[in-house]
Amino acid sequence: IKRVLTDFLGEPPKSKPRLAARITEESTQETHTLQKIVFDTEPGESVPSLLLRPKGLRGKVPVVICPHQTTQSGKKEPAGLAGNPQLHTALHLVQRGLVTFTYDAICFGERHDPTSGHYGDAIPFYRKHPRWSLLGKMVWDLSRAIDYLETLEFVDSTRVGSVGHSHGGITTLFAMAFDERIKVG
């Protein structure tokens, strides 16, 4: 099955660059701390993301990655900063004591150029990676998010989950097939 899926997803890069992760903003919310983080998934490509950490955190806790649905607000909707309250997955889970993480998928949020049209950002991607797919890239980016989360002292890297709706759901399903660090989805 993995071989067939690999044929469908295409060829990812041969090596991973340094994450070069950096916190660019931090704010305190009623139930959690919200950090805006940028990390590199490919050389010269940074991914804007949001980490939601419960207040009063003690020890290592599970983390749930929340890839967003098909919405140009990207990571903001799961984080509860935009969109439909029923889809504020990362916010709902941090309020239950879990660390959550969401990021902008390629072609969405801060990784979208509105002048390119819907999925127009895919054109430069396919010029750079003619033998890779957008879905393969989404799986790669989620895997790189786990690489980052494993560096955090309060994250239990043996208890990683992923949950998403629509676009985020398909990203979760395919990522689970290729990244065994995801224990539940």
Side-chain angles (χ1 to χ4, degrees):
I1 292 171
K2 280 186 179 181
R3 184 185 50 75
V4 171
L5 290 178
T6 300
D7 289 345
F8 172 70
L9 295 179
E11 297 175 14
K14 302 287 185 225
S15 63
K16 296 177 179 180
R18 271 184 58 239
L19 286 165
R22 54 227 173 261
I23 298 169
T24 60
E25 291 178 37
E26 183 170 306
S27 64
T28 302
Q29 309 297 310
E30 186 178 328
T31 59
H32 61 281
T33 301
L34 176 67
Q35 292 179 329
K36 184 171 182 182
I37 296 162
V38 179
F39 65 97
D40 292 350
T41 61
E42 292 187 71
E45 182 181 7
S46 297
V47 176
S49 58
L50 296 170
L51 178 77
L52 292 77
R53 188 178 66 226
K55 285 185 178 175
L57 194 62
R58 294 188 209 303
K60 291 183 179 263
V61 298
V63 62
V64 179
I65 302 165
C66 302
H68 61 78
Q69 48 280 4
T70 306
T71 177
Q72 282 307 328
S73 61
K75 66 188 174 306
K76 289 181 179 179
E77 191 158 55
L81 303 173
N84 182 346
Q86 291 180 317
L87 299 174
H88 292 172
T89 316
L91 177 62
H92 296 310
L93 292 172
V94 76
Q95 291 170 340
R96 293 178 181 162
L98 298 167
V99 172
T100 61
F101 189 80
T102 183
Y103 58 93
D104 286 331
I106 188 169
C107 301
F108 293 92
E110 293 179 63
R111 293 173 78 187
H112 173 63
D113 175 2
T115 64
S116 70
H118 190 60
Y119 284 107
D121 305 288
I123 296 168
F125 168 80
Y126 281 115
R127 283 186 184 131
K128 182 178 177 184
H129 300 290
R131 300 187 55 80
W132 204 13
S133 68
L134 279 181
L135 185 53
K137 172 68 170 151
M138 290 180 233
V139 168
W140 173 269
D141 288 352
L142 194 146
S143 180
R144 294 296 287 157
I146 297 171
D147 292 343
Y148 168 68
L149 292 166
E150 288 181 327
T151 71
L152 303 177
E153 64 184 25
F154 52 86
V155 167
D156 181 347
S157 62
T158 67
R159 295 166 63 195
V160 176
S162 184
V163 63
H165 168 73
S166 185
H167 183 277
I170 196 76
T171 302
T172 293
L173 289 172
F174 275 85
M176 287 181 72
F178 287 92
D179 197 321
E180 295 178 5
R181 296 176 295 178
I182 304 169
K183 302 300 182 195
V184 66

